[in-house]
Amino acid sequence: LECSGSPPHFLCCSCFKKYVENQCNEPLSLRQMSEGRVMCPGCPTPYLDNEMARCLPASSFLNYIESRMDLLEQRRSLELEEEMQRRLDAELRRLHSLDEQQREVLAVRRHIVESILTLKCPRCGQAFLDFTGCFALQCSRCPCGFCAWCGADSCGDDAHNHVRECRWKPANADVFFGTRAEFEEAQRKLRRQKMLQYLPTVTPTTRRKVLLEMRQDLRDLDLGDI
């Protein structure tokens, strides 16, 4: 096998196989410098994958490909971690730059999103997404059964008895089951009640700014009249 350098350097396939195996076992820091590619021992020229496939046994070439894929995955994970850290640092700088009023608005908005607009387990706070038709909901994290009509904890792991008698349930509703539209309407009413209970606890200035910032979010949830 010849590299594509100038001048080209030659290795027989037997020696090249051993060379590739040694390269794949090099320390990670050295392999990262070439992105896992195998470089010619005589010059800084990488061997092309199609040339390597013609010269190497299938098992050796597969080992090289897997080794390179592992390296690139590790590099990608590291880059994602670095990007996440940059975002976190930027968010921290932004938070530090906020004045007291802006921080209060941010805190109120976060509370509304996390504690009012998000359907979640009343016992452990796990978000709930998987409505399957039954209004006796079951938390995926803790043994809590709760009601989709009013959000109340059944104080056990089965909310069917509560759902049967729930005062929030419409008179013409099924004993336990309902449609997706009925579920969404129940959540809208529940969110609306919680919003109307919470907003008077916030200063008028903060309330006005929060509602302005969340105007589109509230409209999307059919709460635009709040």
Side-chain angles (χ1 to χ4, degrees), residues 41 46 54 63 66 69 74 95 97 104 133 163 194 199 218:
R54 285 197 298 267
N63 182 59
E66 290 177 346
M69 288 177 64
Q74 292 179 38
L95 292 176
S97 69
E104 183 178 355
V163 170
K194 290 181 178 180
L199 288 175
L218 295 174

Side-chain angles (χ1 to χ4, degrees), residues 149 166-175:
W149 291 113
C166 182
R167 63 183 180 85
W168 280 55
K169 182 171 63 175
N172 60 344
D174 183 83
V175 178

Side-chain angles (χ1 to χ4, degrees), residues 92-105:
L92 285 174
R93 289 193 297 271
R94 186 183 73 83
L95 292 176
H96 283 307
S97 69
L98 297 178
D99 60 28
E100 184 176 350
Q101 175 65 56
Q102 291 172 319
R103 292 182 185 182
E104 183 178 355
V105 169

Side-chain angles (χ1 to χ4, degrees), residues 82-162:
E82 291 174 347
E83 175 62 23
M84 180 60 70
Q85 188 61 51
R86 283 194 292 270
R87 292 182 181 182
L88 289 174
D89 291 343
E91 180 65 8
L92 285 174
R93 289 193 297 271
R94 186 183 73 83
L95 292 176
H96 283 307
S97 69
L98 297 178
D99 60 28
E100 184 176 350
Q101 175 65 56
Q102 291 172 319
R103 292 182 185 182
E104 183 178 355
V105 169
L106 181 63
V108 169
R109 180 170 181 170
R110 182 173 297 161
H111 174 79
I112 291 174
V113 171
E114 295 179 357
S115 300
I116 297 179
L117 302 185
T118 301
L119 173 61
K120 60 182 182 177
C121 171
R123 195 177 303 175
C124 74
Q126 172 75 5
F128 181 88
L129 300 172
D130 302 322
F131 176 70
T132 59
C134 181
F135 273 65
L137 306 180
Q138 176 68 54
C139 179
S140 60
R141 177 191 288 170
C142 75
C144 176
F146 59 105
C147 178
W149 291 113
C150 67
D153 188 338
S154 67
C155 299
D157 60 1
D158 188 341
H160 285 87
N161 288 335
H162 175 94

Side-chain angles (χ1 to χ4, degrees), residues 16 19-40 45-49 52 56 60-76:
F16 184 65
Y19 177 66
V20 170
E21 291 174 349
N22 289 334
Q23 289 289 298
C24 290
N25 292 323
E26 286 286 344
L28 183 63
S29 57
L30 295 179
R31 292 169 55 215
Q32 285 178 335
M33 295 175 62
S34 61
E35 296 186 343
R37 292 186 179 277
V38 175
M39 311 297 289
C40 171
T45 303
Y47 291 103
L48 301 178
D49 288 348
M52 294 177 63
L56 291 172
S60 297
F61 183 71
L62 179 61
N63 182 59
Y64 155 72
I65 291 296
E66 290 177 346
S67 174
R68 188 163 183 235
M69 288 177 64
D70 288 343
L71 176 70
L72 294 177
E73 281 295 329
Q74 292 179 38
R75 179 173 177 178
R76 180 172 179 273

Side-chain angles (χ1 to χ4, degrees), residues 170-223:
N172 60 344
D174 183 83
V175 178
F176 299 122
F177 291 90
T179 65
R180 167 62 70 171
E182 289 175 321
F183 175 76
E184 294 296 343
E185 176 61 14
Q187 299 314 304
R188 188 192 70 80
K189 290 180 178 179
L190 190 57
R191 289 169 178 140
R192 180 180 176 81
Q193 184 200 48
K194 290 181 178 180
M195 285 287 287
L196 293 178
Q197 290 175 342
Y198 175 67
L199 288 175
T201 68
V202 178
T203 64
T205 300
T206 298
R207 181 167 63 245
R208 185 172 59 255
K209 290 184 177 181
V210 168
L211 290 176
L212 182 62
E213 288 186 8
M214 298 190 67
R215 180 170 48 191
Q216 188 57 53
D217 295 325
L218 295 174
R219 284 176 179 173
D220 292 343
L221 293 170
D222 198 19
L223 297 172

